[in-house]
Amino acid sequence: MSGNIQLLSDTLAAARSEGRAALIAYLPAGFPTVDGGIDAVKAVFDGGADVVEVGLPHSDPVLDGPVIQTADDIALKGGVKIADVMRTVREAYEATGKPVLVMTYWNPIDRYGIERFTAELAAAGGAGCILPDLPVQESDEWRQHAEKHGLATVFVVAPSSKDDRLAKITAVGSGFVYAASLMGVTGTRQSVGAQAQDLVRRTRAGTELPVCVGLGVSNAAQAAEVASFADGVIVGSAFVKLMLDAPDHEAGLVAVRALAADLAEGVRKR
């Protein structure tokens, strides 16, 4: 079975044709439980997210701040497995028909097996993977398997990335480019800042891929700001924090659905 890279590309193109940025949400699998995490992904899609990244919880999440680390810890203590991540992708995709990616560090894939992981992700209806710590120069084997199974390979670029490095990354990535808006870990910020706009400009200079910005966006005003210069707005910690702070699971679902609706309105005010 082939994965859904084309669905991802079509979704991002459709948003662009509407004169807006796409809204991309992030939620970790297995948080607060496997079933609860699936409910949360469906809720953000219901609220207006175009794409969802399902996080594969990891014990050493170097890109993630304290909010997502806390959620990952809950998921890991609950015994979440890669099979649960695949189930989350499959059920979210089957329920919505929208693109679902996995965001994961490299070590779990390496231990699981590249062919096994890509085949199972494609069979689940996944659109691809975001791989924040896989060096481009060491990605050949992954990309061969991902391409064979119809999966996008999304690399992360940062404000510190030099232009020649950006060119190398965008030449081999697919789906879209994940532009980290600032140096540091995930988390909400008061301002996304000018660094992100400059990074998008420099990244676009060498690629036709959509450039989507993450790290720091938490409300409609920030989403609108980023949507004015990026092809997609990525929001993670704000959703996870609502789930962490909710008095019960149902309240958490109501909160993330409402935030998704607010952000979806924001990306349309670019």
Side-chain angles (χ1 to χ4, degrees), residues 123-149:
C129 263
I130 301 165
L131 300 162
D133 65 341
L134 176 63
V136 171
Q137 62 272 22
E138 297 175 18
S139 68
D140 285 359
E141 185 180 2
W142 161 267
R143 288 187 288 109
Q144 288 169 10
H145 286 285
E147 185 174 350
K148 179 176 76 171
H149 289 291

Side-chain angles (χ1 to χ4, degrees), residues 18-24 44 46-50 217 219-225 227-228 233 235 239 257-270:
E18 294 170 12
R20 67 175 180 88
L23 174 60
I24 303 174
V44 296
D46 288 345
D50 298 291
V217 176
N219 57 53
Q222 290 174 332
E225 176 192 356
S228 70
V233 179
V235 182
F239 285 116
R257 188 180 293 110
L259 177 59
D262 193 42
L263 294 166
E265 186 177 346
V267 299
R268 288 166 170 80
K269 290 181 178 177
R270 52 189 299 175

Side-chain angles (χ1 to χ4, degrees), residues 26 53 63 103 130 154-158 176-181 186 199 210-215 234-235:
Y26 166 93
E53 306 169 9
L63 184 68
M103 185 165 187
I130 301 165
V154 179
F155 289 112
V156 179
V157 298
F176 64 92
V177 181
Y178 186 126
S181 66
T186 58
L199 177 58
V211 182
C212 304
V213 171
L215 303 195
I234 303 169
V235 182

Side-chain angles (χ1 to χ4, degrees), residues 114-135:
I114 299 173
E115 171 58 22
R116 181 184 178 193
F117 190 95
T118 51
E120 289 183 7
L121 182 56
C129 263
I130 301 165
L131 300 162
D133 65 341
L134 176 63

Side-chain angles (χ1 to χ4, degrees), residues 152-232:
T153 297
V154 179
F155 289 112
V156 179
V157 298
S160 61
S161 302
K162 304 298 184 186
D163 289 350
D164 60 341
R165 177 70 175 166
L166 291 176
K168 290 176 182 175
I169 292 171
T170 57
V172 296
S174 56
F176 64 92
V177 181
Y178 186 126
S181 66
L182 40 77
M183 301 303 295
V185 297
T186 58
T188 60
R189 302 290 195 279
Q190 292 300 309
S191 174
V192 177
Q195 277 188 322
Q197 188 166 0
D198 179 65
L199 177 58
V200 170
R201 178 189 59 77
R202 292 192 297 116
T203 304
R204 277 187 176 150
T207 185
E208 295 297 317
L209 288 173
V211 182
C212 304
V213 171
L215 303 195
V217 176
S218 62
N219 57 53
Q222 290 174 332
E225 176 192 356
V226 174
S228 70
F229 60 80
D231 299 298

